[in-house]
Amino acid sequence: MKIKLLLGIVSLFTVFTLAACGSNQEEPNATEGQDTDHSEMNHSDMSHSSSGVIPAGLKEADNPTYPVESKAILKTDHMNGMKDAEATIVGAYNTTAYVISYTPTTGGEKVENHKWIIQEEIKNAGRKTLEPGTEVTIEASHMEGMDGAKGTIESSEKTTVYMVDYTPTTGGEEVKNHKWVTESELTSK
């Protein structure tokens, strides 16, 4: 009788533990509705919101197309619910944005064509634009296992990058201080 009771308690504990591991949040869909130039990205571990801390050396844009506190529409779909969402501009910075591929420090599959990290999020990057194929160490934590990971530059774009707040079109909580979207990924409201 004691064994049956013990097995029952262990079974209940296991069920509750597994239920606690579940989530009602929708996982971002990395393939549905994405542009072909970054369809291999998987943002299931992406930190949608951030603290808003800006990397050292990043300079504010003097006269950005989308000034701080203005509204714009997101034309990109880095994550599910981002495309066509209204964004509030939190910050605008002039830098070089990179598409990178890297293997997470936490293990798992290589992340291909991640958009975006910026010049100031690459260890010892200096000021010169890095060429495609350059091996780098990432100092950004947009996704789990990104900070400290070794990566390869796929392409670059000198641009104004924006940190934005937005509410996903799929519903859910407002995303705060999302890093980064480029000027070409925004349109006027």
Side-chain angles (χ1 to χ4, degrees):
M1 184 70 171
K2 286 182 181 180
I3 292 178
K4 285 185 180 180
L5 180 61
L6 183 61
L7 284 174
I9 291 171
V10 170
S11 295
L12 271 172
F13 179 77
T14 303
V15 167
F16 286 125
T17 301
L18 291 174
C21 292
S23 172
N24 289 335
Q25 284 185 313
E26 288 186 31
E27 290 292 321
N29 186 330
T31 56
E32 186 176 313
Q34 290 194 345
D35 296 333
T36 56
D37 65 341
H38 63 282
S39 62
E40 295 178 35
M41 288 192 307
N42 178 352
H43 289 100
S44 60
D45 293 327
M46 188 154 187
S47 300
H48 299 260
S49 295
S50 79
S51 66
V53 174
I54 303 303
L58 184 59
K59 304 290 184 208
E60 287 186 19
D62 290 328
N63 189 21
T65 301
Y66 303 98
V68 172
E69 297 184 14
S70 68
K71 305 281 188 194
I73 303 298
L74 294 164
K75 296 190 316 183
T76 188
D77 57 356
H78 297 175
M79 291 166 291
N80 195 24
M82 194 174 208
K83 188 171 178 70
D84 297 325
E86 180 180 271
T88 301
I89 306 302
V90 177
Y93 309 91
N94 289 331
T95 189
T96 301
Y98 294 94
V99 176
I100 60 164
S101 295
Y102 69 96
T103 302
T105 59
T106 53
E109 292 183 30
K110 184 175 183 178
V111 176
E112 300 282 348
N113 300 310
H114 172 82
K115 289 184 178 178
W116 303 93
I117 68 166
I118 58 173
Q119 189 85 18
E120 295 76 10
E121 295 175 323
I122 298 172
K123 186 175 184 174
N124 300 322
R127 294 183 176 267
K128 187 176 178 184
T129 300
L130 302 171
E131 296 293 321
T134 302
E135 305 244 339
V136 298
T137 300
I138 302 161
E139 294 183 328
S141 55
H142 305 175
M143 297 175 70
E144 186 179 339
M146 180 180 261
D147 193 17
K150 304 294 183 202
T152 304
I153 301 295
E154 301 295 344
S155 65
S156 64
E157 179 180 332
K158 279 192 175 287
T159 186
T160 300
V161 294
Y162 295 87
M163 183 165 42
V164 299
D165 293 345
Y166 71 95
T167 300
T169 58
T170 53
E173 292 182 27
E174 181 181 25
V175 175
K176 304 287 268 177
N177 303 314
H178 175 76
K179 297 174 187 169
W180 304 101
V181 294
T182 61
E183 194 155 293
S184 64
E185 294 174 323
L186 296 167
T187 189
S188 296
K189 188 174 169 201

